[in-house]
Amino acid sequence: MDATQRPLVVPPRIGLYAEEKGLFRLMQIMLEGLMIHRPDDPIGFLIELLLLDNDDIPRILLLGPPASGKTTLAMWLSKHLSAPWLSQETLLDSDWSTLMASVREFQARKEEIPEDLWADLLEERLQLPDCLHNGWILEGFPETREQARSLQAAGIIPRHVVVLYAPDIVLLERNLGKRVDPMTGEVYHTTFDWPPDKALQARLVPAEGSSETATAQRLLAYHRNYYGTLLSFGAKMKLINADQPCADVLAQVLSHIEAPPASPAAFSLRILLCGPPGAGKSLQAALLAQKYGIVNVCCGQLIKEEVADGSKLGELMKPYLENGWPVADNMVLKLLSQRLSQWECHVRGWVLHGFPRDEDQARAMLHADIRPNRVFFLSISADTAVQRLSYRRVDPVTGERFHLVLRPASHKEVHERLRQHPRDAEEAVQLDVDRHQRLSGGLEAFFQGSIPTAVLNADQDPQTVFEYIESYLVRPPPLNPPGTLFQSMGRET
């Protein structure tokens, strides 16, 4: 890219590389780390951050009222994700921390441990190798807004916050039947999860604080602090009903935390519209360009403009147009690369129609790094295509276009002077439609393997078709998009 030349040309490969490698997300992670930790040596900090390569490890807060199943769920998640399971109890049971002396002093005086001390204790635990490389699952903490703010101030930012909920009467009944294995710490229940091993049954003991009075007091304290915690995490919170089998709760939690998150990267639409003549590609492209400010690139119009400008490439294309031949693919691709490499296309995005027409052209387009991130196939029957195009007329005086059925002229004198363009004759339209059906057979299957694709029924009101297209565009792209993001919508059956 040469910054001294105008118009500024940005090779498409630059944007594609940034999307494929997640450079925006990487920059976001590094800036977040600098703002949260404010290291004295920023360069060294960033190098260490990149060497960790732990962007995708789980960082989960598992919250909920007493007896909602947090402990059991945290244990299962820890085994499934191979991530350490942390809680206030596990933090206090170990002597690895240099802060344990301060904790013991508060315990000896039977005072509550301050929020800042909890945050420091947890921060020190998360710096151990198992958490750095495998992530962590923190159960039952924070319990208050003050504790949540202490974690955030210490730079402990979870990726997912799962909050379980259930009616209080259900929670009271559950807690009364809770039993704990004193040897392993695993939790069982007399009704829902009673172990078959007789020896294990014999050593189970009631869980501490499982009486009805103690549970009611804990529920009251939880409800009192719940909304403060809710305000601390906001949109990150995922509420899941705990009044169902544990396996179903686990499945919902895994579905949530394993779903690819939406990319926060600056996103430029690169839309490709395909379909037979008369499907409405030009109209939909104009509507998209008008509403979203993207560049409308009509391949046929682009070729005519290049020939009219008299450029070197235009002179090479001129004989093709004069003789009614299709322009050579390599010339079209060169022209498209020049147009789509301009700065406005890189920043604003683009919508392309009129190319490719077959699978070979599509393969050559991707090889030239012209890669759309949305592909729409507008589907209509051959009869509808012929009807739409063969009824078009042009006013030779004003140049305005009309349609004998969909948009007839309002005045008789205008109607009488309308003329049909030779390319809109029924025989010519039928030949174009037959050619499209013959050449475009493998085009849909080709794109569905690598690029988000949708097939729309275009034999309906144009505004309805546009709304279908728009419903796909407003979905942010996932960080790791699958081959076919969209399902067919509005397709004829």
Side-chain angles (χ1 to χ4, degrees), residues 244-438:
Q244 54 183 321
C246 293
D248 294 342
V249 177
L250 176 64
Q252 292 182 33
V253 173
L254 288 176
S255 176
H256 170 61
I257 64 178
E258 292 179 349
S263 171
F267 180 62
S268 295
L269 289 169
R270 302 190 302 272
I271 304 170
L272 176 62
L273 299 179
C274 299
K281 300 185 295 297
S282 298
L283 175 58
Q284 296 301 326
L287 293 174
L288 289 167
Q290 179 182 11
K291 180 162 186 178
Y292 292 98
I294 58 181
V295 180
N296 186 354
V297 182
C298 173
C299 186
Q301 186 64 29
L302 197 62
I303 292 173
K304 293 177 183 177
E305 292 174 356
E306 190 72 13
V307 172
D309 289 342
S311 66
K312 184 177 179 180
L313 182 58
E315 290 298 324
L316 294 175
M317 292 179 171
K318 189 174 182 180
Y320 291 90
L321 292 187
E322 291 177 344
N323 292 280
W325 302 332
V327 179
D329 292 349
N330 59 337
M331 296 183 186
V332 177
L333 286 171
K334 184 174 181 180
L335 180 61
L336 285 176
S337 294
Q338 291 176 357
R339 181 67 182 95
L340 300 180
S341 296
Q342 294 182 9
W343 180 251
E344 63 170 349
C345 291
H346 181 73
V347 174
R348 293 165 52 193
W350 46 262
V351 52
L352 171 64
H353 52 107
F355 189 91
R357 298 179 183 273
D358 56 45
E359 186 176 344
D360 290 337
Q361 290 180 347
R363 187 174 288 105
M365 183 182 73
L366 297 186
H367 185 70
D369 287 332
I370 301 174
R371 187 178 297 273
N373 48 30
R374 298 287 190 274
V375 180
F376 296 97
F377 287 89
L378 307 183
S379 174
I380 58 173
S381 65
D383 292 340
T384 301
V386 173
Q387 180 184 7
R388 284 186 176 183
L389 298 182
S390 62
Y391 288 176
R392 292 194 304 192
R393 298 293 186 270
V394 179
D395 184 351
V397 176
T398 63
E400 190 175 0
R401 294 187 176 187
F402 296 90
H403 193 278
L404 297 182
V405 176
L406 303 177
R407 189 174 179 266
S410 57
H411 299 286
K412 182 179 179 180
E413 60 182 75
V414 175
H415 177 77
E416 290 177 348
R417 69 171 182 249
L418 295 180
R419 296 291 181 269
Q420 185 183 50
H421 195 285
R423 70 184 179 193
D424 291 337
E426 186 172 345
E427 297 79 6
V429 172
Q430 188 66 56
L431 287 174
D432 287 343
V433 172
D434 292 342
R435 186 184 303 112
H436 170 81
Q437 292 178 340
R438 185 173 63 254

